[in-house]
Amino acid sequence: MNNMSPARLTELAHGGGCGCKLAPSVLQALLANQPGAGPFPQLLVGAETADDAAVWKVDENLTVLATTDFFMPMVDDPRDFGRIAATNAISDIYAMGGRPIMALAILGMPINKLAPEVIREILAGGASVCAEAGIPVAGGHSIDSPEPIYGLAVIGLGRPDQLRRNTGARPGDALILTKGLGVGHYSAAIKRGALPDGAYAEMLASTTLLNRIGGELSGDAAVHGITDVTGFGLLGHALEMARGSGVTLRLDAAAVPRLAHAAALAWEGFVTGASHRNWDSYGDAIALPEGCPDWQRHLLCDPQTSGGLLIACDGTRADALVERIRAAGYPMAARIGEAVAGEARVVVTGSLAGR
């Protein structure tokens, strides 16, 4: 019999979800002097462009994709934590145009603070999402750690001609976002016990929605680039795409989808520390409209745990692709901007409506 007192998972962690990620500038500094991947011509994608997964070419028809993602809890329900973390990890494979085939669990738990049944529920939540994606949890590794950590290493397969990177945007492309922003603001409200009624279910529906549409769209020649929007916020991941593609991305703030309470929570000050770190990392490469209020900036910088896909596609096909994405189960998908010739930066126009 276990006599441990129940503990809120979020109280055991100093951060949560993709808000745990190191700021872009910190990560860049840490990787600055690391050796390159070396003379491996079969390594199609490594760490050089901050893409979503590594890609190894087996032959002319087959690639192997590999990624890992893990974080501390952003919710208190252990099964939901496992589901969100697994969905987020698998997303990297879909974002590269691949198909996941198996996962390995990554587990770090304060075993003197959490009952075994709680940890089992985290693992069960992750396994349930893997089952939904049609893949096994084939193994893993666990440690005793001071804060709860869970995630997956995921292996996938793809075709070289269907590989989609964050470097593929072209001048004239339209930009599509498949999920609404605001997960970090919801997470901050959860920490303070202030999330509005009904908001948890909305957030859970978004963060456990697999981004499998990325793998489906990769076979469409009109889709030129894909990346998933996670801890660096919409602006941070858009900037990675702009830099990797050598273009300017213009985002229409009024067109950006968001969760129902995201704007109100941002305006009320439910902001994660990662939002501030993200903004400080962008430098002069992000241009906001004159007089942009802080709450709108925070929403655009908000770290998204298991966020949507940012897609660069032929502008003449964008509206049809949005309809296809919505019909596939992503009702908030929207056309949010365009890629134009120019220096690698992100320019935001317009204003988020209301709060």
Side-chain angles (χ1 to χ4, degrees):
M1 180 175 178
N2 195 309
N3 295 318
M4 287 185 180
S5 299
R8 289 183 62 192
L9 288 176
T10 54
E11 290 178 343
L12 297 176
H14 74 278
C18 284
C20 298
K21 290 177 70 170
L22 296 177
S25 58
V26 174
L27 184 60
Q28 186 176 22
L30 291 176
L31 297 177
N33 296 320
Q34 297 298 311
F40 297 100
Q42 291 165 290
L43 184 64
L44 301 184
V45 182
E48 63 282 347
T49 56
D51 227 317
D52 295 301
V55 182
W56 184 269
K57 182 178 180 180
V58 178
D59 56 37
E60 296 304 313
N61 298 308
L62 180 66
T63 58
V64 175
L65 298 85
T67 185
T68 182
D69 212 318
F70 52 89
F71 46 63
M72 292 170 282
M74 54 177 288
V75 296
D76 292 311
D77 184 283
R79 181 174 285 263
D80 290 346
F81 171 39
R83 292 175 64 203
I84 294 168
T87 306
N88 179 75
I90 297 170
S91 177
D92 287 340
I93 301 296
Y94 292 131
M96 301 292 291
R99 172 176 60 87
I101 59 169
M102 69 174 178
L104 303 173
I106 299 167
L107 184 73
M109 289 289 146
I111 58 174
N112 60 334
K113 296 179 182 178
L114 286 177
E117 54 267 28
V118 172
I119 300 172
R120 284 197 296 268
E121 279 293 290
I122 294 171
L123 293 170
S128 71
V129 166
C130 288
E132 182 183 348
I135 65 174
V137 180
H141 186 67
S142 59
I143 63 170
D144 182 5
S145 64
E147 295 180 280
I149 298 168
Y150 175 69
L152 300 174
V154 189
I155 305 299
L157 300 177
R159 293 178 52 90
D161 60 330
Q162 294 183 5
L163 177 64
R164 293 296 181 268
R165 304 185 58 179
N166 65 0
T167 60
R170 309 172 187 176
D173 277 357
L175 302 173
I176 297 171
L177 183 63
T178 64
K179 291 184 183 181
L181 301 184
V183 176
H185 297 298
Y186 280 47
S187 177
I190 288 172
K191 275 266 192 182
R192 291 157 59 181
L195 195 65
D197 291 343
Y200 184 84
E202 180 198 20
M203 182 194 74
L204 191 64
S206 179
T207 54
T208 59
L209 176 61
L210 287 164
N211 278 328
R212 66 174 88 232
I213 188 64
E216 297 171 13
L217 292 176
S218 65
D220 192 324
V223 176
H224 302 146
I226 306 176
T227 191
D228 62 349
V229 177
T230 54
F232 297 159
L234 174 60
L235 292 183
H237 291 285
L239 182 57
E240 287 182 338
M241 180 175 280
R243 286 173 170 163
S245 306
V247 297
T248 296
L249 297 191
R250 291 179 178 167
L251 304 181
D252 177 6
V256 174
R258 60 179 188 260
L259 301 180
H261 302 277
L265 290 171
W267 183 76
E268 292 167 9
F270 292 98
V271 177
T272 68
S275 179
H276 297 284
R277 295 192 296 273
N278 284 343
W279 176 250
D280 291 341
S281 296
Y282 302 152
D284 296 332
I286 304 286
L288 296 179
E290 185 176 354
C292 178
D294 286 346
W295 71 268
Q296 293 194 19
R297 171 171 59 83
H298 288 314
L299 190 51
L300 295 171
C301 298
D302 187 50
Q304 302 305 291
T305 301
S306 192
L309 301 177
L310 179 63
I311 300 166
C313 66
D314 185 328
T316 64
R317 291 280 313 283
D319 292 340
L321 286 170
V322 168
E323 290 305 311
R324 176 181 172 184
I325 295 166
R326 289 176 177 172
Y330 306 83
M332 300 191 77
R335 183 173 179 166
I336 65 166
E338 61 179 349
V340 298
E343 62 180 308
R345 63 199 301 255
V346 177
V347 177
V348 180
T349 62
S351 175
L352 292 162
R355 57 172 187 266

